[in-house]
Amino acid sequence: VSGLEVIGVSSLAETMSLLGSAINVPEIQEPLAVPDDSEDSPRLDFAQVKGQSWAKFALEVAAAGGHHLAMLGSPGVGKTLLASRLPTILPPLDRHSALEVSAIESVVGHRSSNAALTRKPPFAAPHHTASYTALVGGGSGVPVIGMVTQAHRGILFLDEAPEFATNVLDALRQPLESKRVILSRRTFTVELPANFQLVIAANPCPCGYSFVRDGSCHCTPMQKRRYLGRISGPLLDRIDIRVIVDPVAPVIITEESEEEGSTLIQQRVVKAREKARTRLADTPWSCNADVPGPQLREMFGLSPQAAATLSSSSHNSARGIDRIAKVAWTVADLREHDSPTVDDVEVAQQLRNAGGRWAA
């Protein structure tokens, strides 16, 4: 922590001396400065993901605007591979966020006493058997910090999302709106930060292969609806971007081609975030996903053509319309447009409705 004078003592006598006692103590050496964290090795990178250009673009938009993301696809298509690389294109944490994340890691016990400040956004990926308390927090005598707080300022990734207990998934709805968790028990009430970006991945059916046209899936339509129905409509409605991740052709996997790396994508993300931050300079928000719908419509209106395209959307809920508008602003920021064009809105609609293959 900068701006502090740190004095190390090895005994109560030394402390008394520093406070004015006449006791003689040896001179105390100046503490060493702790550097920021360094690069992990080996480093995850989007260049390691073959194909999946649309899914990569969806993750880039999610990173640039702070949007929640859902991916639907068969096993082995790369959903987890993509999600694990999302932190590599997020902007590094600023000083304030780094202090918050480092403090949470310290309380949880995930860092040593001399560890550097964490500059990388955290990535929390609980197993689908995680309990309500493990995900949200709780405890009886002592508060237990949940994964939503451990993912603060970073990513909370739920792989195999329909396999989570329904009450555990629905417990995310309140933190997604308020960006905090309030734990109230008989012996304590504590408020914990939970400003995370939610990423979920799911198979399209219990066996996972309904998207594969080889006859291997024998799940009935009722089984498919019931399976995806475990992700409730109110939770899914809070997710801005939904994409279908289709299998990559074997020739693409085996060919020697150079994929775009995380560094270049991150540069575009940072530039888009700066554009949004400049536009939102006189507001309490810093990224598009944070702006409430009414304020978005009032302060940042669309052109008549873009507004007409948005009004024709099949998403008839006010929240759905607002979230398409937020994503459209992010697409415009990435394309360096002053405001969303008709094409930007159409792209946002595609990112929202997953090509009609995932119900709104």
Side-chain angles (χ1 to χ4, degrees), residues 98-136:
L99 286 170
E100 287 183 333
V101 172
S102 299
I104 292 170
E105 289 180 347
S106 179
V107 171
V108 175
H110 290 173
R111 61 188 288 113
S112 60
S113 60
N114 63 344
L117 280 182
T118 300
R119 289 290 188 177
K120 297 181 181 65
F123 182 82
H127 191 261
H128 61 77
T129 57
S131 66
Y132 180 101
T133 300
L135 194 67
V136 180

Side-chain angles (χ1 to χ4, degrees), residues 2-316:
S2 61
L4 299 180
E5 181 184 1
V6 181
I7 302 174
V9 294
S10 60
S11 67
L12 182 59
E14 290 184 15
T15 307
M16 294 172 60
S17 175
L18 292 170
L19 294 178
S21 172
I23 300 177
N24 294 323
V25 295
E27 182 179 354
I28 300 173
Q29 297 181 351
E30 183 178 350
L32 296 175
V34 179
D36 288 334
D37 56 354
S38 58
E39 291 288 339
D40 293 332
S41 182
R43 184 175 184 269
L44 299 177
D45 199 288
F46 266 93
Q48 300 159 347
V49 183
K50 292 285 189 177
Q52 302 294 6
S53 58
W54 179 248
K56 288 179 181 178
F57 174 70
L59 266 70
E60 181 177 343
V61 174
H67 304 287
H68 305 306
L69 170 74
M71 294 182 286
L72 186 68
S74 301
V77 297
K79 303 186 296 293
T80 304
L81 193 72
L82 289 161
S84 63
R85 281 149 180 78
L86 180 56
T88 68
I89 63 174
L90 292 175
L93 298 176
D94 58 27
R95 189 75 177 176
H96 176 73
S97 298
L99 286 170
E100 287 183 333
V101 172
S102 299
I104 292 170
E105 289 180 347
S106 179
V107 171
V108 175
H110 290 173
R111 61 188 288 113
S112 60
S113 60
N114 63 344
L117 280 182
T118 300
R119 289 290 188 177
K120 297 181 181 65
F123 182 82
H127 191 261
H128 61 77
T129 57
S131 66
Y132 180 101
T133 300
L135 194 67
V136 180
S140 54
V142 178
V144 175
I145 294 180
M147 299 297 286
V148 296
T149 298
Q150 295 179 42
H152 180 63
R153 303 293 183 184
I155 305 297
L156 177 66
F157 175 50
L158 304 185
D159 200 4
E160 306 290 349
E163 300 294 340
F164 283 78
T166 302
N167 68 317
V168 173
L169 289 176
D170 285 340
L172 295 174
R173 289 156 56 180
Q174 184 267 333
L176 287 175
E177 291 292 333
S178 65
K179 303 186 184 305
R180 61 192 177 118
V181 170
I182 299 178
L183 304 177
S184 296
R185 299 294 185 269
R186 182 177 60 84
T187 57
F188 66 83
T189 297
V190 61
E191 179 178 319
L192 299 173
N195 186 4
F196 60 90
Q197 196 170 344
L198 178 64
V199 177
I200 69 174
N203 294 329
C205 62
C207 78
Y209 294 101
S210 65
F211 286 173
V212 181
R213 299 178 181 178
D214 60 357
S216 58
C217 175
H218 299 286
C219 300
T220 66
M222 179 62 71
Q223 288 175 320
K224 296 175 184 179
R225 286 196 297 270
R226 187 181 297 117
Y227 184 73
L228 288 180
R230 297 177 185 175
I231 306 174
S232 67
L235 175 60
L236 190 59
D237 199 37
R238 288 169 167 80
I239 297 177
D240 300 351
I241 300 174
R242 310 164 192 166
V243 294
I244 303 298
V245 184
D246 288 315
V248 179
V251 65
I252 297 178
I253 298 175
T254 57
E255 70 179 358
E256 293 292 335
S257 61
E258 186 174 346
E259 300 285 342
E260 189 175 34
S262 293
T263 300
L264 290 177
I265 301 175
Q266 185 187 51
Q267 290 173 358
R268 294 197 297 268
V269 167
V270 170
K271 194 172 182 178
R273 286 230 182 178
E274 286 296 331
K275 189 174 178 63
R277 189 176 293 110
T278 300
R279 183 174 60 252
L280 301 170
D282 297 327
T283 72
W285 313 290
S286 59
C287 62
N288 295 322
D290 293 338
V291 185
Q295 285 79 359
L296 182 72
R297 294 190 296 270
E298 177 183 349
M299 300 172 61
F300 308 106
L302 302 176
S303 68
Q305 297 83 358
T309 303
L310 182 61
S311 64
S312 65
S313 172
S314 60
H315 300 271
N316 52 15

Side-chain angles (χ1 to χ4, degrees), residues 303-335:
S303 68
Q305 297 83 358
T309 303
L310 182 61
S311 64
S312 65
S313 172
S314 60
H315 300 271
N316 52 15
S317 72
R319 181 184 284 128
I321 295 294
D322 289 339
R323 293 191 180 277
I324 292 174
K326 295 178 186 182
V327 175
W329 273 103
T330 301
V331 174
D333 290 337
L334 283 169
R335 294 175 170 179

